[in-house]
Amino acid sequence: MLQVWCSVAGEGGRCRLLAELRAQMAEGRGEEWLYVAATPALHRELERRLWAGPGLFGCGESRLYLMDGLAEKLLSEEGYARSEVGASAREVALERILLRLKAGGRLYYLSPIAHLPGVARALGALISEWKRAGIDPQRWEKALRDLAGSAGVGQHWRSPAVQARLADLAAIYREYARCLEERGLWEKEDRLNYLVGRLRRGGFRSLAGVRRVVLDGFYDFTPAQSALLGALEEAGLEVVLNLPLRGEEARRYEPLRRSLAGLEVRWEEVARPPGGEPGQPEVAVLRAADPQAEARAISLRIKALLLDGKVEGPEEVAVVAREEAERQRIAQALRAAGIPCALDVETPLTALPLVAGSLEALREEAGSRWEKATPVEWAARLEERLNRLPLPPLTAGSAALRELLARERLREVLRQVVQGFALAGEEEEALPLAQFLAAVQRGAARQRVLLRPGDRGGVRVLEPGEVRGLGLAAVFLSGMREGNYPRHFHPDWLLSDSERRELRRAGLLLEDEAERRQKEELLLRHLAEQARRWLFLSYPGRDEQGQPVLPSLYLWELGGRAEPEPEPPQAEEWPLNARELRAFALAGWWKTGAEAAPPGLFSLLLRKEGESLSALLWRIKADEERWGSSYGPYDGLLSRPEAKERLRAAFGPGRCFTPTQLDGFVRCPFGFFCREVLGLEPAEEEGEEAAPADLGYLYHRILARFLRPYCGRPLNPEAWQEYRAALQEAIEQECRQYEEEAKGRGRALSGGFWSLQKRRLVRTLERWLRCELEAARSSPWYPAYLEIAFGLPPGPEGDPRSQPEPLHLKAGGEEVVVRGRIDRIDLDGRGNCAVYDYKSGSTPTYGELRAGRDLQLPLYLLAVERVLLPGRAAGGSYYRLGRECRRSPGLWREESGRPGGGRRKDGVVGEREWEELLARVEEQALECVRLIRGGEFRVRPGRSAEQCRGRCPYRPVCRYDRWRLAEKEEGASTGRGAESGREGEG
């Protein structure tokens, strides 16, 4: 049964759904949901609200998708992949098909105009509409035959001209579909139709664990999307449609009723959470002289809202504009008024001199040599011309990046144009240069190049369809003039409204003008509902050509009888808020070079920052050095002799390092500095749940307690119940002990979060046990040593066979002592041993091991070979504990083989490569210690910087920024950084 939840702007159902999904994710069951958002803007908002909620502590992916993204994911997981045809390739293919059908005498009505580019463009839009309606060529032709033999159709339908036009459309569609099938290609709309058919034929393996599918923000559906709803319902999934409409309004909405026809629907009105019911927004009408004045009036009104503190920030304001030129005009006015704007500044690819010059150069060079060539040859000539152009210097900044991007976009256009000719089967046929360049010119006009990215957290300038479900403090609807709202729909010359109505009666669900107008009216009402506090409706008195225009009839329906308001006062120089005013004051005073406190208003504003003047001066100098061109003490490069002396004393020859410490230095030297040198520890989060680090510690303790009685012999795959009971007992004992330890630290772990964590812990360890027993069926390996130490006493819970002797690393007259504890060592009965280290998070890849970006596992292997079990190490890997309990590829000797088999790419190496890799690890460990003693702790993450920035507890201290450090890296490679670094203080 399909559940339809109705609420104002969809907010009531959304709050309820997100709360339920958050609870499922906290239990580790987020994979049971698929959440589909109607627009990219709503998708980003849902992600923000989902992860901002409490109770999520590394609970896996949220599985939020757009409709196209969901179809692509499901099909890719099933291994079904086809190349997609772009808009330029489709237009070129249809142009060539039209000309071929005309030459073969198979076109009648369209024959005189088949050579015009606009015909192929209109056909492409109609074919896309057919595919969204689930109409293939066979179904289209059958509907035409049925209507031709029906006595109920009008005289118009029987007209020879109409029959000729419809026959032409059928021939073109059939030929185009044949070309796609022969080339193994499809369009974006084809994916959804295939997905629906596949669901009805037998479903997907990737949907096996899915229980609920949510569609949020949709209030109209294409026939293909309606068919998807039915297919999901037939597959036994719980489908929830969260409508941004009131219940009665939804039931009366005719397009929605048609979309849900044939489905069993349960309607439910969902209220907002207590205190969340919005009042009616204040409505104001803004009238301006022309579009430029309208954009300026909107920007000044937004500035007034910000200055008065009526909205929390620019991101709480949205301006809705229908046309691209209108959106760019508003964005320009916002930036001119000093207001951040989230809209990217873009330009058509053809507007760039590089593109226009390259096309003109090709025309001049090629025209004198030959008149015709194949599309592949023309593309190669243009690519050769591009390659001969000198690359811009990187010092040119954004201009260089823009030119490089333009080159890549032009190459993509060439690829699509050639693909279009190939799709029509004419890639080897010669054609005039003018035809090829015309196709490239039209394709390049579709591509847009980024000139300037939008401001993060700025005012949102959106298309009408992108505002679904956002719920903002203030919404501006611009361009409320006749012909724009509602949009003026031009009659479709390929398929008229009367013909569409006849086809609808034959079962082909094509929209007519009446349905488009219904959707337009609903869109306007929905846009108005997104305003929580203020709704502004604006319109110009004249258009761009100076001709008078009439206000939209919807203007008075939405705004009542509100009179147009005058523009707010001019305020271009006003800062946005008091904090920005203080920053301006401080910056202006600092530029003067004054050392004394600034007088008057500036001094008062600075004191409101809550800091002394000396502290502010120190912050400015520190930030100035941080953003300098070379590494300094604020980037982890210590240069003062007394600092280096203290480091040599603390980390000298008498210091024992652990593999975890050295590996931490490789991952991030600055993190090592904060943790091991400064002694900074992440603040323990208050709450009734266990910290992530404590959970990893719990996993180790539970597994050691469980495996200790079975150590030294293979596990019995048939003793599942016995092992499960023992595992449950180990979990209970260790959790009780952890609760007592937490209680001693003043934390109570008796609430619901801790219960959820324990349930997730049980599920994870039961999955681990199943993996162990399954591996025991075909593998001779068995656990033999648990928590075995080198260079450390065994401890009360360690392996008694631990060795007090540490691992000694020597090279070039230097020596480093390493000690540690290995989670687990397995034996195989032939004297070989395998090292395992448990990880509750991500594990390093074999490529990272080879590149030296992970030291922990190789150092454990060295310790086994030299201290614990000399000459018996077959290899090792990380054992990941999570939703999928599995061993990473790791590092294995070829002669011993990887447990369970494996290829070279899986981490199996020859003896020579094994020795070379371990030797490199030894040298790298010594190099790490040399850098530590020398005070080099540069902010230079060794692994994924994005992951580092999001999870590292020292992020507020290091303030990692890739662009800030790019110049420092360049200076360090040329020697400038070291010279400048000697001037800093450590």
Side-chain angles (χ1 to χ4, degrees):
M1 177 182 292
L2 174 66
Q3 301 180 46
V4 179
W5 294 4
C6 302
S7 57
V8 177
E11 189 59 29
R14 187 169 300 122
C15 293
R16 178 172 155 187
L17 286 167
L18 288 177
E20 292 182 15
L21 176 55
R22 195 177 296 118
Q24 293 285 324
M25 292 174 65
E27 295 178 6
R29 295 165 53 196
E31 66 274 8
E32 297 180 6
W33 282 52
L34 289 177
Y35 205 122
V36 185
T39 65
L42 179 57
H43 182 275
R44 291 190 294 270
E45 179 67 13
L46 288 170
E47 277 202 325
R48 183 191 68 79
R49 291 172 59 175
L50 177 65
W51 292 105
L56 297 187
F57 21 78
C59 297
E61 60 178 342
S62 59
R63 309 195 83 179
L64 285 170
Y65 304 99
L66 296 170
M67 185 70 78
D68 289 338
L70 175 63
E72 184 176 359
K73 175 182 175 61
L74 292 177
L75 293 175
S76 63
E77 287 181 352
E78 295 294 317
Y80 190 88
R82 275 192 176 191
S83 297
E84 189 173 304
V85 176
S88 297
R90 178 180 63 189
E91 185 174 328
V92 171
L94 287 172
E95 286 177 358
R96 308 312 298 178
I97 288 172
L98 278 166
L99 294 176
R100 186 165 66 235
L101 292 177
K102 176 182 177 180
R106 297 164 60 190
L107 284 185
Y108 305 97
Y109 183 87
L110 297 178
S111 181
I113 57 174
H115 63 284
L116 299 177
V119 178
R121 193 175 306 118
L123 282 168
L126 183 59
I127 288 175
S128 294
E129 184 182 359
W130 281 339
K131 292 188 174 185
R132 288 194 297 271
I135 303 171
D136 56 23
Q138 294 76 24
R139 190 178 174 195
W140 172 254
E141 293 177 9
K142 181 180 183 302
L144 295 183
R145 289 194 301 268
D146 293 344
L147 286 170
S150 173
V153 296
Q155 189 63 33
H156 168 81
W157 188 269
R158 303 184 186 280
S159 164
V162 171
Q163 290 298 313
R165 173 163 45 82
L166 297 176
D168 285 356
L169 294 179
I172 295 166
Y173 193 16
R174 182 172 59 251
E175 181 67 12
Y176 180 62
R178 183 189 65 78
C179 292
L180 285 175
E181 187 62 33
E182 286 182 354
R183 297 282 175 170
L185 302 171
W186 63 4
E187 293 185 326
K188 181 175 68 174
E189 293 84 359
D190 292 323
R191 292 183 305 191
L192 197 59
N193 292 321
Y194 178 84
L195 178 63
V196 172
R198 179 64 183 275
L199 278 170
R200 286 177 169 161
R201 289 194 301 271
F204 286 82
R205 293 188 303 273
S206 52
L207 287 177
V210 176
R211 180 179 59 84
R212 170 179 279 189
V213 179
V214 178
L215 291 94
D216 194 354
F218 295 86
Y219 55 77
D220 58 345
F221 293 90
T222 65
Q225 291 172 340
S226 300
L228 177 63
L229 289 177
L232 292 171
E233 185 186 37
E234 292 169 11
L237 299 175
E238 180 185 347
V239 183
V240 177
L241 173 58
N242 183 43
L243 278 182
L245 305 169
R246 295 181 177 90
E248 291 306 316
E249 183 181 37
R251 290 185 178 90
R252 291 194 305 268
Y253 180 45
E254 184 60 30
L256 181 63
R257 291 172 58 187
R258 283 197 292 267
S259 297
L260 303 183
L263 300 177
E264 187 180 354
V265 179
R266 189 184 76 194
W267 298 86
E268 182 178 348
E269 190 80 27
V270 183
R272 287 201 179 196
E277 288 296 338
Q280 289 296 324
E282 296 182 23
V283 182
V285 177
L286 307 178
R287 183 187 184 280
D290 54 41
Q292 292 289 349
E294 181 186 16
R296 179 181 175 83
I298 290 173
S299 66
L300 293 177
R301 181 66 63 177
I302 292 174
K303 176 170 279 192
L305 289 174
L306 292 168
L307 288 170
D308 293 341
K310 293 182 178 179
V311 293
E312 294 181 1
E315 70 278 1
E316 279 293 304
V317 181
V319 183
V320 183
R322 178 148 260 164
E323 302 299 332
E324 173 65 24
E326 188 180 2
R327 291 193 291 273
Q328 293 294 343
R329 184 165 55 242
I330 292 170
Q332 184 178 5
L334 288 171
R335 293 189 174 104
I339 303 171
C341 176
L343 184 69
D344 295 338
V345 180
E346 298 177 328
T347 186
L349 188 59
T350 50
L352 296 179
L354 167 74
V355 177
S358 299
L359 296 178
E360 185 60 32
L362 178 62
R363 185 180 290 108
E364 293 175 358
E365 293 177 9
S368 61
R369 298 188 180 185
W370 58 69
E371 292 184 356
K372 289 187 176 182
T374 67
V376 176
E377 291 169 341
W378 286 129
R381 288 282 297 165
L382 185 51
E383 182 119 16
E384 180 186 351
R385 171 68 185 173
L386 276 176
N387 293 335
R388 288 206 305 267
L389 293 175
L391 289 172
L394 293 180
T395 54
S398 60
L401 295 176
R402 182 165 59 247
E403 184 170 335
L404 292 173
L405 179 60
R407 292 175 187 234
E408 292 306 312
R409 291 287 174 83
L410 185 54
R411 291 188 176 96
E412 173 61 20
V413 171
L414 291 175
R415 187 193 68 79
Q416 285 203 29
V417 169
V418 172
Q419 184 190 50
F421 282 101
L423 180 58
E426 299 182 8
E427 68 269 34
E428 299 299 330
E429 295 187 15
L431 75 156
L433 174 63
Q435 285 188 18
F436 180 79
L437 286 184
V440 173
Q441 190 85 16
R442 289 194 299 272
R446 288 193 182 92
Q447 296 283 335
R448 304 189 69 81
V449 178
L450 180 68
L451 297 180
R452 172 184 169 182
D455 304 311
R456 181 176 297 179
V459 173
R460 314 184 200 203
V461 183
L462 305 170
E463 298 179 42
E466 294 179 321
V467 194
R468 299 186 184 189
L470 293 185
L472 302 166
V475 174
F476 289 75
L477 299 185
S478 71
M480 292 292 295
R481 63 182 185 274
E482 192 65 38
N484 198 31
Y485 289 106
R487 176 183 289 176
H488 178 66
F489 296 104
H490 298 281
D492 187 352
W493 63 275
L494 286 174
L495 207 58
S496 68
D497 273 354
S498 62
E499 292 160 358
R500 287 170 178 267
R501 286 191 288 271
E502 294 288 352
L503 290 165
R504 182 179 287 277
R505 282 195 285 270
L508 303 187
L509 302 180
L510 297 174
E511 289 184 351
D512 58 9
E513 184 177 355
E515 186 170 345
R516 288 194 290 267
R517 284 190 177 276
Q518 282 182 333
K519 291 186 176 182
E520 186 80 357
E521 292 172 7
L522 183 67
L523 172 64
L524 262 295
R525 289 199 298 273
H526 180 63
L527 290 176
E529 287 179 351
Q530 302 310 303
R532 296 198 308 266
R533 300 177 63 186
W534 290 278
L535 174 64
F536 294 90
L537 311 171
S538 67
Y539 68 100
R542 296 181 180 273
D543 60 14
E544 288 84 351
Q545 288 75 37
Q547 299 299 318
V549 296
L550 295 174
S552 169
L553 294 177
Y554 291 138
L555 181 72
W556 312 118
E557 181 179 335
L558 296 176
R561 289 298 164 185
E563 292 295 327
E565 295 185 1
E567 289 187 3
Q570 305 290 322
E572 285 82 355
E573 302 303 323
W574 294 351
L576 297 183
N577 49 45
R579 182 176 180 182
E580 187 175 300
L581 180 58
R582 289 193 296 270
F584 285 164
L586 181 59
W589 167 69
W590 174 253
K591 288 177 182 177
T592 64
E595 296 185 0
L601 175 64
F602 284 178
S603 180
L604 176 64
L605 293 171
L606 291 176
R607 284 201 299 272
K608 287 187 176 181
E609 288 281 355
E611 295 183 78
S612 65
L613 185 60
S614 60
L616 285 170
L617 284 171
W618 181 83
R619 286 178 59 191
I620 293 173
K621 291 178 180 178
D623 210 48
E624 190 176 43
E625 186 168 350
R626 189 188 294 274
W627 281 92
S629 60
S630 59
Y631 281 97
Y634 300 108
D635 305 302
L637 183 60
L638 309 184
S639 56
R640 292 180 60 177
E642 54 268 33
K644 292 187 176 183
E645 185 62 32
R646 293 182 63 179
L647 287 171
R648 282 192 291 270
F651 297 96
R655 174 67 178 263
C656 277
F657 292 87
T658 68
T660 304
Q661 288 174 335
L662 296 176
D663 187 60
F665 184 86
V666 170
R667 287 201 306 271
C668 180
F670 195 83
F672 179 94
F673 173 67
C674 294
R675 184 173 50 253
E676 306 295 339
V677 179
L678 300 181
L680 302 179
E681 292 292 338
E684 188 172 359
E685 297 181 4
E686 296 184 2
E688 52 188 28
E689 73 271 16
D694 290 348
L695 283 176
Y697 179 55
L698 258 180
Y699 278 122
H700 285 71
R701 285 172 37 170
I702 292 169
L703 290 175
R705 180 184 286 271
F706 165 72
L707 283 174
R708 197 168 288 118
Y710 307 105
C711 199
R713 64 180 186 272
L715 296 176
N716 180 10
E718 308 302 327
W720 159 255
Q721 294 298 337
E722 175 192 345
Y723 292 142
R724 185 183 183 188
L727 181 61
Q728 290 281 359
E729 183 180 355
I731 293 173
E732 289 298 325
Q733 291 178 356
E734 290 296 339
C735 285
R736 279 198 302 270
Q737 184 174 341
Y738 175 70
E739 289 170 8
E740 292 297 325
E741 294 171 357
K743 187 177 180 181
R745 300 196 304 267
R747 294 188 63 191
L749 299 177
S750 58
F753 289 137
W754 171 234
S755 300
L756 292 174
Q757 284 182 312
K758 285 199 294 185
R759 286 203 295 270
R760 186 182 178 201
L761 186 143
V762 170
R763 286 197 299 271
T764 299
L765 292 176
E766 286 186 351
R767 282 195 292 266
W768 167 85
L769 180 57
R770 290 191 185 94
C771 293
E772 285 288 316
L773 296 181
E774 187 63 30
R777 294 182 184 277
S778 58
S779 174
W781 295 85
Y782 58 88
Y785 302 87
L786 305 173
E787 300 292 331
I788 183 169
F790 56 96
L792 292 169
E797 299 179 354
D799 197 298
R801 293 163 291 187
S802 299
Q803 298 294 323
E805 179 67 20
L807 171 65
H808 294 270
L809 304 178
K810 301 179 182 179
E814 294 188 9
E815 179 177 357
V816 172
V817 179
V818 180
R819 63 185 180 186
R821 194 182 306 274
I822 300 175
D823 293 341
R824 170 176 160 183
I825 297 179
D826 286 9
L827 297 179
D828 67 348
R830 296 184 303 166
N832 296 318
C833 63
V835 175
Y836 292 105
D837 187 73
Y838 296 122
K839 295 286 185 186
S840 56
S842 60
T843 57
T845 63
Y846 172 61
E848 289 176 326
L849 287 169
R850 289 196 63 182
R853 294 198 295 273
D854 182 82
L855 296 185
Q856 187 175 4
L857 183 63
L859 287 175
Y860 283 158
L861 292 173
L862 280 173
V864 169
E865 287 205 323
R866 297 182 184 180
V867 180
L868 296 173
L869 300 165
R872 298 175 62 185
S877 67
Y878 292 103
Y879 206 141
R880 184 176 181 181
L881 305 173
R883 189 170 57 184
E884 295 181 5
C885 293
R886 56 182 175 82
R887 299 173 174 87
S888 69
L891 183 66
W892 301 90
R893 274 180 162 146
E894 190 174 28
E895 61 181 23
S896 303
R898 181 174 179 265
R903 301 180 299 277
R904 185 178 183 82
K905 70 175 184 179
D906 293 321
V908 179
V909 299
E911 190 64 26
R912 180 178 177 182
E913 189 174 354
W914 170 275
E915 296 294 340
E916 290 176 352
L917 194 148
L918 292 185
R920 285 200 307 270
V921 166
E922 185 169 7
E923 293 176 1
Q924 187 172 1
L926 290 165
E927 175 65 13
C928 289
V929 175
R930 186 190 67 78
L931 293 174
I932 292 169
R933 293 169 179 169
E936 295 204 24
F937 306 98
R938 306 187 190 202
V939 179
R940 189 185 293 171
R943 292 183 185 167
S944 169
E946 290 299 322
Q947 183 181 15
C948 167
R949 286 195 303 169
R951 299 182 181 179
C952 178
Y954 305 108
R955 177 183 175 187
V957 183
C958 78
R959 301 182 193 174
Y960 173 80
D961 184 280
R962 181 159 55 101
W963 305 110
R964 179 173 68 82
L965 296 173
E967 189 175 353
K968 296 178 185 288
E969 285 295 309
E970 183 181 354
S973 63
T974 58
R976 289 188 294 107
E979 180 179 345
S980 177
R982 285 193 292 271
E983 300 174 2
E985 297 182 359

